[in-house]
Amino acid sequence: MNNMEKESQLTQKGDTSDDDESGLLLKGPLAQSRHYWLALCIEHAWQYQGFVVEFIDSSGQKQYVPVGASLQGVVKQWIDLPTGARAIRIRDCDLSGRARVVLNHKMVRAAQSIWSLAYQTLSLLLSLRRHDVPDRTGWVRQVLSWWRRLGLPATYQRLQLCKARSPAVPLTNWWREHYVQTASQVAALKAKLSDKIRNQVVVWIFASDDMTQEGFVATLESCKGQDAEIWIDSRIPFATPGHISARVATIDMLCDEPRWTWCLIVPVGARLLPYAVACFYQASINQNRLKVIYSDHIHGGVTSPVESVPSHIDLKPDWCLERQRAAHYCGDVLFVDRSVLARFKALWSEKKLMNRAYIPYTLLLALSENHLVDAFHHIRLPLWLQTYTHQLSELNTVLTDHLYRCGISAERIASDHCVAKLNYTSVWQPVVSMIIPFRDNVAITQQCVDSVLALTEYAEYEILLVDNQSQEPETLTWLQDIVKHPKVNVVHYDEAFNFSAINNFAVEHARGEVVILLNNDTQVIEKNWIEAMVGCLTLPAVGVVGAQLLFSNGLIQHAGCVVGPQQVATHRLAFHSLDMVEKRCEGTLVQEVSAVTAACLAMRKSLYQSLGGLNEQLTVAFNDVDLCLRARESGLRVMYTPFARLYHHESLSRGKDSTPEKKRRAAQEVEFMHQRWSIKGYQDPFYHPRLDARLANFALNPFPQELIDWSQL
């Protein structure tokens, strides 16, 4: 979490030299408070997630104002600076970093407040015309509500946070606006379910190796008003406060109690939010065949009020076994069916106390070995608070045993942020056919083919070049030479360009058991990329595998796709650096996604054919997304692996959709996807609805419109 996450304006003791020229806008001190117009162009903006204006106020303390920028680093914004401000400069919003912001262009102009307010008003009104929100009427109401409650300057500032490169949305305001529900709503839900909870739900507080008296009391206090009977693990050595009714017992005694059907397991140190048990129980009513329910959660202190603004929030995807193996993202508080607790009660019988995550992690992995995805349910709402930190690497023994039982092989890469990064491997070594369509632009295609031949260590593969009416002499000469290579074959598609039809035609000629659709503007940069994709194809029910693609400058171009509701599909983490995604702990693990790009996509040839291949109505765009959604519709999974990494010099061969004809075609393809897949109503199960789907960067959505429906969790 960067320093801008919790507050929109920070204060700290100033020690910046006025003589430091990096990113300097004004030296000051300012004689009076004024509005200033910033027109800036930031060099190498891709290095940063966002920017702030830093200044030293009259008391000698640093202050920060968030600034919104485009992907290219263009800033056009009004800011208000107070009397006495000095050493005013633009800075990286990651205040802990040492990167200095360099400006290619700078214009800073003072203006009368009336002009600033007029511009801000115009910006606000133009924002109401957005077409990238699922409910435009709701968006208009939301912005106008901000205007009434917060005033024009604050609303204008909030709109700046919607830009591509802006600081994280302040968690303080976001939390209060979108999660703190009225007392009447919470009371109504709890009152409705109170009797059923008393008769069917128990809370089991279990011991861990680093539990404390303070943490135990905090956990008990949070369980007190939940309407469920509290049971305490007899291995906990602390006394129960007299004002709290709870039973101290062994796990066998709890399992012998016939009254309950669901149990909420809570480690010492976790604290339930006031409506937690009611929400868990409501979800168990709404869904059939559930065995385990997990929820989002927040982070905070042992003594801070659970309703207060958290220091961090974990908004999670729906169930993904591969991500749970690697990262234990589901967390330590689980709502489990009676049969599950009885089956795994031995975990609570061990005399040696373990890490808080040990039992939930072991239970989830063991349960996944015998149950399908519909046994697990995710509540998209934070229901508990974590007051402790994990040493997830301690769970590697559990992971080893689980992988052995599943018969799965994986290379394990140590990480400070998860149990381990897993690169799945396989003894299965099928023939792989790489299908590379092209038309002229021989330098681009040659770079792609040469990189495959030079770097790929996988033994059994063929390169199937699909020539779509090439005419340039250089291309024809190169084809005559390259076809002599034993790994290369060439077929000719003598029809108008249709990406789907070209690939469908080529698959019929492929001799491989696995086909990899590969753009001719890609470039292999790692030797074991095919092994990583084939390894994922061997995982249970996996139909499609996609790679991590980088722009020429090393920024991420593709790490899977987010589908709907604001756009048909958006590449996850696009324009982020590899260091940045490592800090965010996203895009670095093998995990399930809704779709991947056909710039580098692997699947079995038999599956490709049984699904009918790429839809030839989609001649250029979204044919890959449509294929992935059809695979998911048939019960198969789409997987992303960061261990197959290539450059993608995007659209170098075909170009952008810039002509009127191309724009009409693009609009028709968008309309097709909306009609076929109801995109506006599609909720990507692997991307939380309160994260920003426009940019798919895992930042908080500045304008989430989904309200919490307590009855449909």
Side-chain angles (χ1 to χ4, degrees):
M1 179 184 72
N2 65 48
N3 293 1
M4 293 302 299
E5 183 169 349
K6 189 167 180 179
E7 298 291 343
S8 59
Q9 183 164 306
L10 300 180
T11 301
Q12 65 185 52
K13 193 65 179 175
D15 57 2
T16 299
S17 169
D18 291 3
D19 297 328
D20 182 359
E21 296 291 331
S22 65
L24 189 67
L25 304 178
L26 295 167
K27 283 192 174 183
L30 303 182
Q32 61 179 341
S33 172
R34 298 194 70 169
H35 286 82
Y36 284 83
W37 170 251
L38 304 182
L40 315 173
C41 184
I42 298 169
E43 184 174 302
H44 303 312
W46 53 267
Q47 298 180 82
Y48 314 98
Q49 177 56 40
F51 305 94
V52 293
V53 168
E54 174 193 84
F55 62 89
I56 300 176
D57 66 15
S58 56
S59 65
Q61 293 190 332
K62 288 183 181 178
Q63 304 283 353
Y64 300 90
V65 178
V67 172
S70 71
L71 279 173
Q72 293 74 32
V74 175
V75 174
K76 292 185 177 181
Q77 183 173 333
W78 289 94
I79 63 170
D80 185 24
L81 294 173
T83 302
R86 60 182 172 84
I88 303 157
R89 59 175 40 81
I90 191 86
R91 275 200 61 181
D92 181 3
C93 67
D94 181 3
L95 302 179
S96 62
R98 296 186 177 182
R100 296 293 187 180
V101 175
V102 178
L103 300 176
N104 285 333
H105 169 77
K106 177 180 76 173
M107 185 180 75
V108 182
R109 187 177 70 237
Q112 297 296 324
S113 296
I114 185 64
W115 297 112
S116 170
L117 291 175
Y119 183 89
Q120 293 176 28
T121 302
L122 179 62
S123 297
L124 185 150
L125 294 175
L126 289 175
S127 75
L128 299 181
R129 302 176 59 192
R130 299 188 80 105
H131 297 283
D132 59 357
V133 292
D135 179 5
R136 291 187 62 203
T137 303
W139 164 242
V140 171
R141 285 198 301 265
Q142 191 171 26
V143 174
L144 293 179
S145 173
W146 291 345
W147 193 351
R148 287 192 300 269
R149 291 188 296 108
L150 306 175
L152 178 60
T155 303
Y156 173 78
Q157 186 66 54
R158 180 169 293 198
L159 292 172
Q160 298 305 309
L161 296 177
C162 300
K163 292 183 178 178
R165 296 203 181 279
S166 61
V169 177
L171 185 54
T172 302
N173 297 336
W174 191 91
W175 172 261
R176 288 173 180 156
E177 182 166 353
H178 301 294
Y179 275 110
V180 177
Q181 303 298 305
T182 63
S184 60
Q185 286 179 301
V186 178
L189 180 71
K190 293 177 69 175
K192 169 188 168 185
L193 300 175
S194 180
D195 290 339
K196 293 181 178 179
I197 290 173
R198 289 192 183 95
N199 294 326
Q200 298 184 41
V201 180
V202 294
V203 175
W204 171 247
I205 302 175
F206 65 90
S208 64
D209 59 355
D210 57 349
M211 57 187 169
T212 64
Q213 171 78 37
E214 184 181 41
F216 173 64
V217 172
T219 300
L220 269 176
E221 289 285 356
S222 72
C223 297
K224 182 177 62 175
Q226 301 281 346
D227 291 325
E229 186 176 12
I230 303 171
W231 290 61
I232 299 173
D233 188 343
S234 59
R235 299 175 299 169
I236 297 175
F238 310 122
T240 304
H243 67 284
I244 297 178
S245 175
R247 296 175 63 176
V248 178
T250 65
I251 188 65
D252 289 325
M253 294 168 62
L254 176 60
C255 291
D256 289 342
E257 170 61 51
R259 186 174 52 81
W260 60 273
T261 56
W262 287 91
C263 177
L264 183 63
I265 64 170
V266 183
V268 170
R271 302 170 64 193
L272 302 182
L273 271 65
Y275 42 82
V277 171
C279 290
F280 276 119
Y281 184 71
Q282 180 67 56
S284 73
I285 296 172
N286 294 340
Q287 308 291 329
N288 295 322
R289 299 191 301 274
L290 290 183
K291 295 296 181 182
V292 175
I293 304 174
Y294 66 97
S295 75
D296 302 333
H297 74 277
I298 56 177
H299 296 253
V302 174
T303 58
S304 59
V306 291
E307 300 90 348
S308 63
V309 176
S311 61
H312 180 64
I313 184 169
D314 279 341
L315 300 177
K316 307 171 184 178
D318 287 356
W319 174 252
C320 173
L321 173 56
E322 288 71 23
R323 183 169 178 142
Q324 174 59 23
R325 280 178 185 146
H328 184 47
Y329 77 95
C330 292
D332 305 329
V333 173
L334 302 174
F335 198 61
V336 300
D337 173 77
R338 182 186 186 92
S339 62
V340 172
L341 198 73
R343 177 180 169 188
F344 296 104
K345 67 179 182 179
L347 292 172
W348 286 277
S349 301
E350 299 177 9
K351 291 184 178 180
K352 182 182 178 181
L353 297 180
M354 305 295 286
N355 181 311
R356 287 180 179 89
Y358 174 81
I359 290 176
Y361 182 73
T362 304
L363 185 153
L364 286 167
L365 293 193
L367 196 64
S368 71
E369 296 164 18
N370 302 107
H371 289 82
L372 300 175
V373 64
D374 58 4
F376 305 88
H377 181 65
H378 168 217
I379 297 178
R380 295 169 176 167
L381 183 69
L383 298 181
W384 59 283
L385 183 149
Q386 181 176 318
T387 66
Y388 50 85
T389 57
H390 278 131
Q391 290 294 329
L392 290 177
S393 59
E394 296 176 5
L395 302 176
N396 265 284
T397 301
V398 179
L399 177 59
T400 299
D401 294 342
H402 163 72
L403 292 175
Y404 176 78
R405 292 193 299 269
C406 294
I408 291 175
S409 300
E411 177 192 1
R412 203 173 305 193
I413 298 100
S415 172
D416 294 334
H417 306 298
C418 58
V419 181
K421 297 178 182 178
L422 297 175
N423 182 15
Y424 292 94
T425 58
S426 173
V427 295
W428 180 51
Q429 297 285 296
V431 175
V432 173
S433 295
M434 278 170 265
I435 295 172
I436 306 177
F438 72 98
R439 175 189 291 172
D440 291 317
N441 282 320
V442 66
I444 299 300
T445 307
Q446 183 175 354
Q447 176 180 256
C448 174
V449 173
D450 288 351
S451 70
V452 172
L453 294 173
L455 293 175
T456 302
E457 286 198 347
Y458 192 87
E460 295 296 322
Y461 75 87
E462 69 162 341
I463 297 175
L464 188 57
L465 292 169
V466 193
D467 175 26
N468 180 212
Q469 300 177 330
S470 293
Q471 297 178 345
E472 295 175 355
E474 297 88 344
T475 304
L476 301 179
T477 301
W478 176 75
L479 278 177
Q480 290 175 355
D481 291 335
I482 197 65
V483 76
K484 298 174 185 177
H485 195 288
K487 292 285 189 183
V488 178
N489 292 308
V490 178
V491 294
H492 299 274
Y493 182 81
D494 193 22
E495 303 287 344
F497 177 82
N498 180 319
F499 183 80
S500 298
I502 291 171
N503 280 280
N504 292 346
F505 167 79
V507 167
E508 296 301 320
H509 292 80
R511 66 181 182 87
E513 189 179 350
V514 168
V515 294
I516 294 180
L517 308 188
L518 191 64
N519 276 19
N520 71 322
D521 55 0
T522 58
Q523 181 182 351
V524 173
I525 53 179
E526 294 182 351
K527 61 185 180 181
N528 294 319
W529 66 286
I530 293 182
E531 288 88 340
M533 300 186 86
V534 170
C536 287
L537 277 178
T538 64
L539 295 172
V542 170
V544 183
V545 178
Q548 182 183 89
L549 303 179
L550 307 179
F551 288 112
S552 306
N553 60 8
L555 297 185
I556 288 178
Q557 190 262 342
H558 169 271
C561 297
V562 174
V563 176
Q566 299 170 1
Q567 289 118 207
V568 173
T570 307
H571 286 191
R572 295 161 26 124
L573 299 167
F575 303 101
H576 282 59
S577 68
L578 294 174
D579 288 341
M580 198 177 294
V581 299
E582 189 70 38
K583 290 179 183 178
R584 284 179 176 265
C585 302
E586 293 291 349
T588 60
L589 304 175
V590 172
Q591 57 195 281
E592 196 171 349
V593 293
S594 286
V596 293
T597 177
C600 184
L601 178 154
M603 61 193 304
R604 288 174 172 84
K605 177 180 176 179
S606 58
L607 174 62
Y608 185 96
Q609 292 173 319
S610 68
L611 290 174
L614 297 176
N615 190 324
E616 296 184 14
Q617 288 182 258
L618 299 168
T619 60
V620 176
F622 307 126
N623 35 47
D624 43 12
V625 177
D626 175 74
L627 178 66
C628 290
L629 293 179
R630 282 186 281 130
R632 285 181 49 77
E633 190 177 49
S634 69
L636 297 173
R637 301 191 296 153
V638 177
M639 203 66 64
Y640 154 78
T641 174
F643 299 105
R645 181 180 293 168
L646 299 86
Y647 285 124
H648 184 201
H649 311 292
E650 187 179 21
S651 298
L652 284 180
S653 55
R654 192 187 63 81
K656 299 289 186 180
D657 293 328
S658 55
T659 67
E661 181 182 354
K662 287 182 177 181
K663 289 180 179 179
R664 282 194 298 272
R665 187 266 311 151
Q668 291 170 355
E669 291 171 338
V670 168
E671 182 60 26
F672 175 91
M673 292 298 289
H674 278 282
Q675 294 296 326
R676 172 65 177 87
W677 297 107
S678 302
I679 292 296
K680 287 187 177 179
Y682 187 91
Q683 178 55 61
D684 193 313
F686 307 109
Y687 195 80
H688 201 285
R690 290 179 181 80
L691 296 176
D692 192 341
R694 297 170 308 124
L695 304 176
N697 59 1
F698 293 86
L700 295 175
N701 190 340
F703 41 86
Q705 297 178 34
E706 182 185 15
L707 299 177
I708 298 171
D709 185 344
W710 298 87
S711 65
Q712 299 296 322
L713 295 172

